[in-house]
Amino acid sequence: MSYQIAVLSGDGIGPEVMAEARKVLNAVETRFGLDIQYTEFDVGGIAIDNHGCPLPDATLKGCEAADTILFGSVGGPKWENLPPNDQPERGALLPLRGHFELFCNLRPAKLHDGLEHMSPLRSDISARGFDVLCVRELTGGIYFGKPKGRQGEGDDEEAFDTMRYSRREISRIARIAFEAARGRKNKVTSVDKANVLACSVLWRQVVEEVAKDFPDVTLEHIYIDNATMQLLRRPDEFDVMLCSNLFGDILSDEIAMLTGSMGLLSSASMNSTGFGLFEPAGGSAPDIAGQGIANPVAQILSAALMLRHSLKQEEAASAIERAVTKALASGYLTSELLAADKRSEAKSTAQMGDFIAQAI
Amino acid sequence: MSYQIAVLSGDGIGPEVMAEARKVLNAVETRFGLDIQYTEFDVGGIAIDNHGCPLPDATLKGCEAADTILFGSVGGPKWENLPPNDQPERGALLPLRGHFELFCNLRPAKLHDGLEHMSPLRSDISARGFDVLCVRELTGGIYFGKPKGRQGEGDDEEAFDTMRYSRREISRIARIAFEAARGRKNKVTSVDKANVLACSVLWRQVVEEVAKDFPDVTLEHIYIDNATMQLLRRPDEFDVMLCSNLFGDILSDEIAMLTGSMGLLSSASMNSTGFGLFEPAGGSAPDIAGQGIANPVAQILSAALMLRHSLKQEEAASAIERAVTKALASGYLTSELLAADKRSEAKSTAQMGDFIAQAI
Ligand SMILES: CC(C)[C@H](C(=O)O)[C@@H](O)C(=O)O
Ligand SMILES: CC(C)[C@H](C(=O)O)[C@@H](O)C(=O)O
């Protein structure tokens, strides 16, 4: 099997963790007899520096020609004061999501055995563990709804955004949540604000309809304000959380922080043809870039998600995930996951990549 | 001084905690020579049962005739399956906020000394304590923006909501946040999603302009997704958080849960004339209603906020707050604030009210 991957490493720690993901992918190629071709393109801040915009035409064309996108991370202090539309994150990610209609965003987050102390939750709560998959709608809602803009003058000047969802948009993401629940704990919690938003009333209705096709999956509805609260008290009672674009943005970050180990979390953004963008959940971490201490696991797990969801290489994906679990279980950890007095045992970015590649 | 208060006790534990707030207000009347008249009106579920709607005309008229509103809590399983618009919470609270233009919502939340173990946060984080005032815009944004509705048919049927903010709306709530910061730690953190929403770009701009009149107050901006995360890691670094209607709904609940003692939190919703609605942050808790075990402190502190903000009786307000602090510091606690093995020492709803009234 032969594949074309567009590699968009981006800024900060992006390039260094991407190098480790490539190591691991090389190991997987050999072991499973795959043929993967990589083409690198600039994105984010480095693309602003080199080409004047965060998502140059050549990058977009390169992604179009590829089977899928492996993404690093973008942004940093250098580009922070640009107008919002020109900034690396929003100027690269939103157009990519829109252009390829990557409506389905999967953000898995679990508390790893032995890393409970990293969670900001009270020890009796984190001791129960949790394993949540956030399924976020990514090309609709208030992110892309029209009209959006400004009008009027002086004190009357106003800005407006439109939250908009069609039955079609809601049911396609809902189906994905229910299907995902079947491979997990058979529970979907749909997050909305149906006591205030017309979009949420339709959302709840369509989710109920889709649920009829999944009688084996339990469905619950929860208001977004209550969801942010209950995740703090009983995260172990959630399985799949189904969210609109804005609520998924907020909740998936809350859940990521609850694991306390952002360097381990990856995410998949896909369209209906299987084309996707796979990226770590954390940011470009400019403060630790170039020191060889960044955790490459999130980037490596993004490659696993890419193999599973875009390239349909389930065995190769699982092999990577097993190798990562083995590394963590052997106490093979980068410094941010170690208590201050254990930091001397920390592994470097490259050591992590080597260990995981060898374990394949 | 003579005042007219509209008392809307509502459902669940509402009436029983309101009875204790009245006890405490009576003590304050005597001590400070005030003359407070109370008129009770149905609201929420009980109003649906007695009059067919959650906010009857008589209740609205009664509120109009009063100097201010002391509110209990509304809702319960009995009315949960009504259409959203007819439900107790949304059918009573939103029209009251809109009708009286209660644009300014203050939600103070702090971790009380000795109650750190109630917080769902890890002990080293809760040990640092926190004291956050959430200032939430309450009559604009996506809650009230027009158009809002549905159109189309079949798979194309869609729903839409409009988020809308004018300079005037943003600057009046921003001023309140900056003024509040002056009596606290001189820091305002403005919460938005300026990398996606046109409303947030205007929000950030107007907040910057207002900040110029408060050179002594430090201003920071934070994205809503990042705010939900940072509150988990370093809640002690926040002071005043300034939020739009939707983001304030979400964040204020997260912060309330972080205290772990919802029964102690109250909130104030006010308009520009000083008229307001004062209520506990927690819900109607139908599961414990009628057992005499509900914590009346949030309702009692709502009365204090009412005295301070609507009736301008600062001394009386402080006297209540001191009495509450005394009760808590003496270990005078209702059962939900006690560890399982200490529940036998729990005070009843009425005992709490008596102690606080006597301490005035
Ligand atoms: C950078 C930003 C536009 C983006 C979003 O809000 O979706 C980010 O927060 C994310 O969650 O991927
Ligand atoms: C009941 C609901 C409409 C309300 C809101 O969303 O504002 C509630 O959650 C609140 O925060 O007071």
Side-chain angles (χ1 to χ4, degrees):
Chain A
M1 300 298 263
S2 147
Y3 304 102
Q4 279 289 346
I5 313 276
V7 176
L8 278 56
S9 304
D11 310 314
I13 60 168
E16 43 193 298
V17 294
M18 187 65 86
E20 304 312 313
R22 292 281 294 273
K23 262 187 209 164
V24 174
L25 282 167
N26 288 342
V28 157
E29 264 191 275
T30 315
R31 159 113 189 258
F32 295 93
L34 310 176
D35 168 22
I36 310 185
Q37 303 298 325
Y38 306 88
T39 324
E40 309 245 0
F41 298 97
D42 284 346
V43 74
I46 185 155
I48 296 177
D49 290 352
N50 292 344
H51 317 274
C53 78
L55 185 66
D57 246 16
T59 301
L60 201 59
K61 292 258 151 51
C63 292
E64 280 174 357
D67 292 309
T68 196
I69 306 168
L70 190 58
F71 195 95
S73 50
V74 292
K78 184 169 174 195
W79 309 281
E80 234 166 48
N81 294 314
L82 294 172
N85 276 336
D86 303 336
Q87 286 184 16
E89 296 88 347
R90 117 136 251 189
L93 281 173
L94 295 190
L96 280 169
R97 292 175 189 169
H99 183 79
F100 292 106
E101 212 184 334
L102 308 174
F103 72 91
C104 166
N105 183 212
L106 305 180
R107 303 200 178 190
K110 75 170 187 215
L111 208 51
H112 283 275
D113 282 350
L115 293 181
E116 293 83 359
H117 63 283
M118 294 301 303
S119 168
L121 288 173
R122 208 172 60 204
S123 54
D124 59 313
I125 303 176
S126 60
R128 300 200 302 267
F130 65 84
D131 181 350
V132 178
L133 172 65
C134 186
V135 176
R136 171 183 174 195
E137 202 289 328
L138 203 60
T139 50
I142 202 161
Y143 276 62
F144 291 90
K146 294 268 157 17
K148 186 192 260 306
R150 280 222 206 171
Q151 66 190 18
E153 266 169 54
D155 252 15
D156 289 326
E157 187 184 11
E158 60 171 28
F160 47 89
D161 297 274
T162 304
M163 185 181 279
R164 195 180 286 281
Y165 269 114
S166 70
R167 280 185 171 272
R168 180 176 295 109
E169 287 174 304
I170 301 167
S171 72
R172 70 180 177 179
I173 192 73
R175 282 195 179 277
I176 286 173
F178 281 98
E179 267 151 25
R182 279 193 167 153
R184 300 172 46 100
K185 284 184 274 167
N186 286 294
K187 183 168 162 188
V188 169
T189 305
S190 173
V191 179
D192 66 34
K193 185 77 191 173
N195 51 355
V196 171
L197 304 176
C199 283
S200 289
V201 172
L202 180 62
W203 181 276
R204 206 174 260 226
Q205 212 172 312
V206 176
V207 171
E208 290 279 354
E209 288 166 19
V210 170
K212 294 203 182 105
D213 293 341
F214 300 85
D216 49 323
V217 178
T218 308
L219 169 65
E220 277 179 4
H221 302 279
I222 191 168
Y223 294 139
I224 176 68
D225 46 334
N226 195 23
T228 43
M229 294 204 285
Q230 299 309 322
L231 276 166
L232 301 176
R233 240 168 43 102
R234 46 181 187 92
D236 55 321
E237 293 179 23
F238 295 94
D239 180 19
V240 174
M241 301 195 81
L242 167 61
C243 303
S244 62
N245 207 343
L246 181 62
F247 296 159
D249 177 49
I250 299 169
L251 267 200
S252 64
D253 268 354
E254 181 183 6
I255 301 169
M257 181 55 96
L258 289 180
T259 68
S261 45
M262 204 81 95
L264 302 179
L265 302 180
S266 55
S267 99
S269 305
M270 294 170 297
N271 67 20
S272 51
T273 71
F275 183 93
L277 182 156
F278 300 85
E279 60 174 330
S284 61
D287 49 321
I288 60 159
Q291 300 175 34
I293 59 170
N295 192 338
V297 167
Q299 189 72 60
I300 292 168
L301 290 175
S302 303
L305 288 180
M306 174 186 83
L307 286 163
R308 170 171 302 123
H309 294 290
S310 268
L311 312 185
K312 310 295 176 202
Q313 294 291 342
E314 174 59 37
E315 274 191 67
S318 306
I320 294 182
E321 287 164 352
R322 274 197 309 273
V324 165
T325 304
K326 187 170 160 193
L328 300 179
S330 331
Y332 228 82
L333 300 169
T334 41
S335 75
E336 94 284 6
L337 295 178
L338 290 163
D341 60 338
K342 296 245 168 92
R343 293 263 156 91
S344 57
E345 299 162 24
K347 299 297 178 279
S348 70
T349 308
Q351 284 176 316
M352 289 299 290
D354 289 339
F355 183 99
I356 296 166
Q358 255 150 42
I360 294 292
Chain B
M1 299 299 259
S2 148
Y3 304 103
Q4 280 290 344
I5 314 274
V7 176
L8 278 56
S9 304
D11 309 314
I13 60 169
E16 43 193 299
V17 293
M18 187 65 85
E20 304 312 312
R22 293 280 296 270
K23 263 187 207 163
V24 174
L25 283 167
N26 287 343
V28 157
E29 263 191 275
T30 314
R31 160 112 190 259
F32 294 94
L34 310 176
D35 168 21
I36 310 185
Q37 303 298 324
Y38 305 89
T39 323
E40 309 244 0
F41 298 96
D42 285 346
V43 74
I46 186 155
I48 296 177
D49 290 353
N50 292 345
H51 317 273
C53 79
L55 185 66
D57 247 16
T59 301
L60 201 59
K61 292 257 151 51
C63 292
E64 282 175 355
D67 292 309
T68 196
I69 306 170
L70 190 58
F71 195 94
S73 50
V74 294
K78 185 169 173 194
W79 309 281
E80 235 166 45
N81 294 313
L82 294 172
N85 276 336
D86 303 338
Q87 286 183 18
E89 296 86 347
R90 116 137 248 186
L93 280 174
L94 294 191
L96 280 168
R97 292 175 188 169
H99 183 81
F100 292 106
E101 213 184 335
L102 307 175
F103 72 90
C104 166
N105 183 212
L106 304 180
R107 303 199 177 191
K110 75 170 187 214
L111 208 51
H112 282 274
D113 282 350
L115 293 180
E116 292 83 359
H117 63 283
M118 295 300 304
S119 168
L121 288 173
R122 207 171 61 205
S123 54
D124 59 313
I125 304 176
S126 60
R128 299 199 303 266
F130 65 84
D131 180 351
V132 179
L133 172 66
C134 185
V135 176
R136 171 184 174 196
E137 200 289 328
L138 203 61
T139 50
I142 202 162
Y143 275 63
F144 291 90
K146 294 271 158 16
K148 186 191 261 305
R150 279 221 209 173
Q151 66 191 18
E153 266 169 54
D155 253 14
D156 290 325
E157 187 183 13
E158 59 170 29
F160 46 90
D161 297 273
T162 306
M163 185 181 279
R164 195 181 285 283
Y165 269 113
S166 69
R167 280 185 172 273
R168 181 177 294 109
E169 287 174 304
I170 301 167
S171 71
R172 71 180 176 180
I173 192 73
R175 281 193 182 277
I176 286 173
F178 282 97
E179 267 150 25
R182 280 193 167 154
R184 300 173 46 101
K185 284 182 274 167
N186 286 295
K187 181 168 164 188
V188 169
T189 304
S190 174
V191 179
D192 66 36
K193 186 77 191 171
N195 50 354
V196 171
L197 303 176
C199 283
S200 289
V201 173
L202 181 62
W203 181 277
R204 206 173 260 226
Q205 212 172 312
V206 176
V207 171
E208 290 278 355
E209 288 166 18
V210 170
K212 295 204 184 106
D213 293 341
F214 299 85
D216 49 324
V217 177
T218 308
L219 169 65
E220 277 179 3
H221 302 279
I222 191 168
Y223 294 139
I224 175 69
D225 46 335
N226 195 22
T228 43
M229 294 206 284
Q230 299 311 321
L231 277 166
L232 302 175
R233 241 167 42 102
R234 46 180 187 93
D236 54 321
E237 292 179 24
F238 295 95
D239 180 18
V240 174
M241 299 193 83
L242 167 62
C243 304
S244 62
N245 206 342
L246 181 63
F247 296 159
D249 178 48
I250 298 169
L251 267 200
S252 65
D253 269 355
E254 181 183 6
I255 302 169
M257 181 55 96
L258 289 179
T259 69
S261 45
M262 203 82 93
L264 302 179
L265 302 181
S266 55
S267 98
S269 306
M270 294 169 295
N271 67 21
S272 50
T273 71
F275 183 92
L277 181 156
F278 302 85
E279 59 175 330
S284 61
D287 49 320
I288 59 159
Q291 299 174 35
I293 59 170
N295 192 337
V297 167
Q299 189 72 61
I300 291 167
L301 289 175
S302 303
L305 288 181
M306 173 187 85
L307 286 163
R308 169 173 302 124
H309 294 291
S310 268
L311 312 185
K312 310 295 175 202
Q313 293 290 342
E314 174 59 37
E315 273 190 67
S318 308
I320 294 181
E321 287 164 352
R322 274 196 310 273
V324 165
T325 304
K326 188 171 161 193
L328 301 179
S330 331
Y332 227 81
L333 301 170
T334 41
S335 74
E336 94 283 6
L337 295 179
L338 289 163
D341 61 337
K342 295 247 168 93
R343 293 262 156 90
S344 58
E345 298 162 23
K347 298 298 178 279
S348 70
T349 308
Q351 284 176 315
M352 289 298 289
D354 289 341
F355 183 99
I356 296 166
Q358 254 150 43
I360 294 290

